[in-house]
Amino acid sequence: MAQLLEGARKLGWVLFNAFLRFIFVFINNCVAIPSYCLYCILLQPLRIMDSRYFWHIEGIMFKWMLAMVSLWGWVAGYTVMEWGDDVRPLSEEEAMVIVNHQATGDVCTLMMCLQDKGTVVRKMMWLMDHVFKYTNFGLVSLIHGDFFIRQGKAYRDKQLIYLKDHLDRYYRSRDRKWIVLFPEGGFLRKRRETSQAFAKKNSLPPLTHVTLPRLGATQVILKTLGPQQENGSLGKEASTMHPSQSGSKPKGLQWVVDVTIAYPKARPMDIQTWIFGYRPPTVTHVHYRVYPIKEVPVETKPLTDWLYQRFVEKEDLLAHFYETGLYSLLSPSFSPSSLSPFLSELSLSGLSPSISEK
């Protein structure tokens, strides 16, 4: 009898979960996205009269839709544990975010863990593979001003020109603060073999959990959005002055936020899993490390070395995590920083007891 009751309970939870997922997907695709697009079409006169107010409202709606994507994962029990530097104080300052890339679910993970970071979500710009343009969310990202980049040698040079033009036209005019990119230029499983061959040929460290990053988009962003250059580095005053001390003029990028995403047992989660929820509940771990922009070189060789060093550190960080299940032991200064707001109602049973909640 007890087994029958337990089986009925589990079946009831599965059916309830499926119903909630259907509701969220329906609301997102049939209500939220059409409403967003209708707003952006009908209120074009407001955009002409007061563009800042127009993009303020657009940003709020954009954040709501990203919250819906987060809820798809939350209902299935996919949550986020955050480690490292606390990035919330930087939410109103300009930052470039560099992230390792393993699967399409990386974007959903970032959507979830950035929800509680002030205005970051509604004022951020994404650099995504052009295939995302053809998803149900593609039109929203297109209106929001995200940049869709095509991969491959045949497109590389032109894409960097298009990126600079895009940043000049949309980043400042729409009051963007954070810009997110994946410097590896593709998924880990697709680029690992090529990256390791390149590393061997050029006497670089062999990487398993990440690939060697590409320079192009990162350098364009730093040169286009960064403060005044000084001796090959970005302006030193940018990261020492508070926005209130510098008046209303934008100072440019002030921080680089280095984000490392780790999936338990090194099993990346794709967007299909996130939507349909067919993987058991899991906790994805996200580590932040913040660098003042004055520490970031701009010229090709120093910037290449700097980027490679960041991804070698990611390799060590991920290897340590997969071996121990912890991020905090890599360096005494690294410790859990915050939890996703969606995580607070879920049990953390099964995690190491040394992981603390905040």
Side-chain angles (χ1 to χ4, degrees):
M1 186 64 179
Q3 291 181 343
L4 288 175
L5 290 174
E6 179 65 17
R9 186 188 68 80
K10 290 182 178 179
L11 178 60
W13 170 248
V14 169
L15 293 175
F16 179 68
N17 184 287
F19 174 73
L20 284 180
R21 302 188 73 76
F22 171 78
I23 292 297
F24 289 145
V25 172
F26 175 82
I27 291 175
N28 188 72
N29 291 332
C30 300
V31 179
I33 292 179
S35 298
Y36 173 92
C37 296
L38 190 62
Y39 161 79
C40 293
I41 293 172
L42 295 180
L43 291 188
Q44 285 301 306
L46 175 62
R47 181 180 176 182
I48 296 173
M49 292 184 294
D50 191 342
S51 63
R52 289 184 65 86
Y53 189 63
F54 174 89
W55 290 113
H56 174 79
I57 299 176
E58 181 274 340
I60 294 174
M61 298 179 70
F62 186 77
K63 183 175 181 178
W64 287 348
M65 285 186 289
L66 266 60
M68 290 296 298
V69 175
S70 302
L71 284 171
W72 296 351
W74 178 76
V75 169
Y78 305 148
T79 54
V80 176
M81 173 68 79
E82 298 177 280
W83 303 78
D85 296 334
D86 187 359
V87 299
R88 285 172 297 187
L90 313 182
S91 62
E92 293 298 327
E93 301 183 20
E94 292 189 32
M96 179 179 70
V97 183
I98 56 175
V99 192
N100 63 312
H101 208 12
Q102 301 172 70
T104 50
D106 297 342
V107 175
C108 301
T109 297
L110 288 174
M111 288 180 179
M112 175 178 279
C113 63
L114 294 178
Q115 278 291 324
D116 67 338
K117 307 300 187 294
T119 61
V120 163
V121 171
R122 61 185 178 89
K123 290 188 175 184
M124 75 192 322
M125 179 181 287
W126 296 77
L127 266 65
M128 296 182 285
D129 191 282
H130 78 287
V131 297
F132 281 96
K133 185 189 298 185
Y134 307 107
T135 66
N136 61 334
F137 208 78
L139 180 59
V140 173
S141 291
L142 204 61
I143 296 172
H144 183 71
D146 297 329
F147 183 76
F148 299 95
I149 191 165
R150 294 181 66 93
Q151 305 295 338
K153 293 182 179 179
Y155 306 102
R156 190 171 300 162
D157 293 339
K158 285 187 177 180
Q159 289 297 297
L160 296 180
I161 295 173
Y162 295 154
L163 173 59
K164 185 182 187 311
D165 180 65
H166 186 89
L167 295 174
D168 288 335
R169 293 174 61 190
Y170 300 123
Y171 188 84
R172 305 287 184 208
S173 65
R174 299 185 182 185
D175 193 28
R176 299 297 176 240
K177 296 293 185 182
W178 285 26
I179 182 166
V180 182
L181 72 154
F182 301 92
E184 291 165 290
F187 300 139
L188 174 64
R189 68 180 186 277
K190 294 183 177 181
R191 292 208 60 242
R192 178 158 42 199
E193 185 176 344
T194 303
S195 174
Q196 290 176 342
F198 179 84
K200 183 177 181 180
K201 181 179 179 181
N202 293 274
S203 302
L204 295 169
L207 305 177
T208 302
H209 305 300
V210 295
T211 64
L212 290 170
R214 293 174 175 174
L215 181 69
T218 305
Q219 190 173 39
V220 168
I221 291 170
L222 290 172
K223 287 188 173 182
T224 306
L225 303 180
Q228 182 66 38
Q229 296 184 30
E230 296 180 0
N231 300 322
S233 296
L234 296 175
K236 295 184 178 182
E237 75 285 350
S239 60
T240 59
M241 293 178 62
H242 192 273
S244 62
Q245 298 175 315
S246 57
S248 59
K249 288 187 177 181
K251 300 188 303 297
L253 295 174
Q254 300 156 68
W255 307 95
V256 173
V257 180
D258 185 6
V259 179
T260 306
I261 299 175
Y263 297 95
K265 300 180 180 179
R267 291 182 60 207
M269 188 179 300
D270 56 31
I271 196 169
Q272 292 86 357
T273 304
W274 194 273
I275 293 172
F276 296 108
Y278 45 74
R279 183 181 293 187
T282 186
V283 179
T284 301
H285 294 255
V286 177
H287 183 275
Y288 305 99
R289 190 169 185 184
V290 175
Y291 297 89
I293 203 70
K294 65 181 181 181
E295 297 180 6
V296 183
V298 180
E299 299 308 315
T300 301
K301 181 61 169 64
L303 179 57
T304 301
D305 294 341
W306 188 89
L307 266 181
Y308 281 3
Q309 183 60 37
R310 301 290 74 77
F311 277 78
V312 170
E313 291 172 358
K314 286 179 183 289
E315 175 76 13
D316 295 339
L317 187 63
L318 289 168
H320 176 84
F321 172 78
Y322 295 141
E323 181 180 350
T324 66
L326 295 174
Y327 267 148
S328 60
L329 298 182
L330 183 65
S331 168
S333 64
F334 293 165
S335 60
S337 59
S338 63
L339 292 178
S340 163
F342 303 108
L343 191 58
S344 59
E345 299 181 23
L346 297 179
S347 169
L348 290 177
S349 58
L351 293 177
S352 167
S354 62
I355 298 179
S356 60
E357 294 185 48
K358 182 177 180 181

